[in-house]
Amino acid sequence: MRIVISGGTVVNADGSTQADVLVDGETIAQVGPGVAGSSAANGVDRTIDASGKLVIPGAIDVHTHMELPFGGTFAKDTFETGTRAAAFGGTTTIIDFAVQSRGKSLREGLDAWHAKAQGNACVDYGFHMIMSDVNEGTLAEMDTLVDEGVTDFKLFTAYPGVFYSDDGAILRAMQQTAKNGGLIMMHAENGMAIDVVAAQAVERGETDPYYHGVVRYPIFEGEATNRVIRLAEATGVPVYIVHLSARDALEMVQAARGRGAMAFAETCPQYLFLSLDDMANGFQGAKFVCSPPLRPADHQDQLWRGLAKDDLQVVSTDHCPFDFADQKQLGQGDFRKVPNGLPGVEDRVDLMHDGGVVTGRISRERWVETLSAAPARMFGLAGRKGVVAPGADADLVVYDPERRHTISASTHHMNVDYSCYEGRSVVGGSDVVLSRGRVVVEDGRWKGAKGHGRFLRRSTAREYLV
Ligand code: URP
Ligand code: ZN
Ligand code: ZN
């Protein structure tokens, strides 16, 4: 199949230009003015008119949790429903977290995630590996996984008794990645301190979901962020802080980057658009329970500035949906039992366009950089994803920068019964979405297929992380 996308403004991270895009099979063949009328475009099967629209690289969400087991239940989106929803929102690649359960091998965890995704994913996907145990066996397995294209490992200073690793374990995993070229991703909150403060709150009868947001102090995120960056500096490896939410943590990343440390971080739309106030509505607040929690609104300006100045390199979603009607109810009477996580994989591109580009907080190019180009570079997909250029996969979005729509659970495609952004009107939306040359979404209709998505064997990205 040969497709020409004509008359649009191609937006890449390094600039925008009026250009046509010729897609040949699964890849981009040509980008430039006049390509649509050139001999190269003879015999195309289809022309998509992008006049007045943007043509952007399909977005990459490097932080999702399809079917994650958490708190006695599972995140509701499967690889089929979650990647379909992602595509509706202009995201054509996800990197999900395979989980090593305590006492099991990394291999068992990775095989389980391959089984969930293969034949089900609608767009391309890769995996990071969550490490719950650091021992001789799992350390050796890290090298094998890097060879198989699973090049990043997430460890936690949070969730004692579940995913938590102590400083020694984190240091050992970092030492191993110093040798194998991988990347350590850190969930940085001081989980031990949080558990003490949370237990004290419950003893006082403060059991509503709101208190989840209160007891996980910003300073606990700042402290853990500084600690893990220092451990990374001691071992000479890059470290990537996931779902950074608080100014306390951002200041640690800024200071580290200022002294030349290889410290990187992502934030998520929920920390830019939602706040602790959203949790102050009785048990409805459970809809917004995630970790780190939503912060007081006055943290947001600093996060936006960090994003504009490249102290934060990536915006991901941490998509991890649980139904309000039953799953979030597990936390009735004790906020510690609310499954942690929010839906968001479908909304990120539009929220960041509306709240970032339309408001002038970030440029269109920075929007593409944080949603596609930097994720591709930092996670071993450079040249293949995250760019509109010859040779790259034809993951493309014809984006209408003026279309207004209202976010709602009644119209979204994520398999979850509520939206954190219910009723929010946004400017910007994906008209046509291509995944490896195949139109998967057009004018709000699904044209893709379960199983179209392929596993992405990623390379290490050390050259971009030093
Ligand atoms: O609340 C969250 N973030 N749930 C998903 C698991 C994690 O820590 O990323
Ligand atoms: Zn996390
Ligand atoms: Zn997560």
Side-chain angles (χ1 to χ4, degrees):
M1 183 86 168
R2 280 157 56 81
I3 299 175
V4 163
I5 303 173
S6 69
T9 302
V10 172
V11 184
N12 273 314
D14 60 359
S16 302
T17 174
Q18 282 292 123
D20 305 325
V21 180
L22 175 64
V23 173
D24 193 356
E26 298 196 340
T27 54
I28 298 171
Q30 276 197 356
V31 181
V35 165
S38 72
S39 56
N42 285 343
V44 294
D45 302 289
R46 188 170 170 201
T47 299
I48 296 171
D49 179 12
S51 312
K53 310 283 166 68
L54 311 179
V55 181
I56 59 173
I60 302 170
D61 192 341
V62 300
H63 192 150
T64 67
H65 299 285
M66 306 304 170
E67 301 175 53
L68 177 77
F70 198 107
T73 186
F74 288 83
K76 266 204 82 188
D77 263 318
T78 61
F79 275 84
E80 181 185 357
T81 62
T83 55
R84 190 172 57 218
F88 271 104
T91 291
T92 51
T93 300
I94 65 162
I95 309 183
D96 202 84
F97 287 86
V99 179
Q100 179 235 336
S101 309
R102 284 249 145 99
K104 303 262 177 68
S105 63
L106 301 190
R107 165 69 47 210
E108 284 169 277
L110 181 59
D111 284 352
W113 252 256
H114 274 300
K116 288 175 206 255
Q118 201 181 2
N120 291 315
C122 302
V123 300
D124 291 351
Y125 59 94
F127 295 128
H128 318 284
M129 189 82 220
I130 285 179
M131 285 183 77
S132 306
D133 297 310
V134 176
N135 54 44
E136 291 310 322
T138 57
L139 286 168
E141 283 190 285
M142 289 172 87
D143 299 357
T144 318
L145 263 58
V146 168
D147 291 341
E148 292 179 19
V150 177
T151 51
D152 332 291
F153 303 88
K154 181 180 178 190
L155 288 98
F156 297 73
T157 58
Y159 308 136
V162 188
F163 295 131
Y164 174 85
S165 289
D166 65 25
D167 294 351
I170 293 165
L171 190 87
R172 291 185 78 196
M174 287 176 169
Q175 287 171 332
Q176 199 72 21
T177 58
K179 289 184 270 177
N180 65 30
L183 177 67
I184 295 291
M185 308 172 80
M186 288 300 315
H187 178 137
E189 291 183 286
N190 188 323
M192 290 295 189
I194 288 167
D195 275 10
V196 171
V197 180
Q200 290 165 347
V202 171
E203 268 165 39
R204 285 193 299 272
E206 295 167 353
T207 59
D208 270 359
Y210 177 73
Y211 293 100
H212 172 87
V214 172
V215 302
R216 304 181 84 93
Y217 302 163
I219 201 167
F220 291 155
E221 188 182 344
E223 182 276 327
T225 300
N226 182 53
R227 181 163 28 111
V228 299
I229 291 173
R230 285 305 201 178
L231 293 175
E233 286 179 84
T235 46
V237 291
V239 62
Y240 179 93
I241 308 297
V242 295
H243 46 44
L244 186 147
S245 71
R247 72 162 79 86
D248 309 58
L250 178 59
E251 283 163 4
M252 295 304 150
V253 173
Q254 285 166 330
R257 291 175 67 77
R259 63 179 178 265
M262 295 179 279
F264 304 89
E266 64 177 20
T267 190
C268 310
Q270 52 268 34
Y271 304 120
L272 296 166
F273 296 103
L274 304 172
S275 76
L276 186 58
D277 292 346
D278 291 293
M279 302 182 71
N281 184 17
F283 195 73
Q284 290 289 320
K287 291 177 177 171
F288 301 94
V289 166
C290 60
S291 294
L294 304 184
R295 300 301 185 187
D298 61 4
H299 287 245
Q300 291 172 357
D301 268 353
Q302 248 165 285
L303 295 186
W304 279 108
R305 277 201 299 279
L307 206 56
K309 284 174 27 205
D310 203 38
D311 294 325
L312 297 166
Q313 293 75 40
V314 171
V315 177
S316 68
T317 62
D318 195 9
H319 175 75
C320 189
F322 298 100
D323 269 344
F324 181 68
D326 49 6
Q327 295 174 297
K328 290 281 186 181
Q329 303 298 323
L330 292 167
Q332 283 281 6
D334 187 343
F335 65 81
R336 294 172 299 181
K337 299 193 173 134
V338 179
N340 284 203
L342 312 181
V345 76
E346 188 170 351
D347 302 321
R348 177 182 62 135
V349 175
D350 296 344
L351 283 168
M352 292 306 296
H353 183 266
D354 181 66
V357 178
V358 175
T359 58
R361 283 172 168 138
I362 54 172
S363 66
R364 273 178 185 167
E365 290 76 17
R366 184 75 189 141
W367 174 60
V368 166
E369 166 77 9
T370 56
L371 299 182
S372 309
R377 239 182 6 253
M378 297 176 72
F379 292 95
L381 296 169
R384 199 165 155 197
K385 305 282 188 191
V387 65
V388 183
D393 283 356
D395 286 10
L396 295 161
V397 179
V398 178
Y399 196 83
D400 183 345
E402 279 165 15
R403 176 152 62 84
R404 184 177 284 280
H405 65 107
T406 302
I407 299 178
S408 171
S410 62
T411 49
H412 74 199
H413 302 85
M414 297 176 285
N415 185 27
V416 62
D417 65 358
Y418 74 97
S419 170
C420 291
Y421 306 98
E422 188 66 41
R424 187 184 182 107
S425 171
V426 289
V427 174
S430 299
D431 281 358
V432 186
V433 180
L434 283 82
S435 163
R436 267 187 293 104
R438 176 183 176 144
V439 173
V440 293
V441 175
E442 187 163 14
D443 298 329
R445 284 189 301 279
W446 179 241
K447 306 224 161 153
K450 168 183 171 173
H452 166 79
R454 282 193 203 137
F455 172 65
L456 295 164
R457 205 181 160 109
R458 295 175 296 112
S459 50
T460 55
R462 198 52 73 77
E463 70 266 38
Y464 297 108
L465 298 171
V466 291

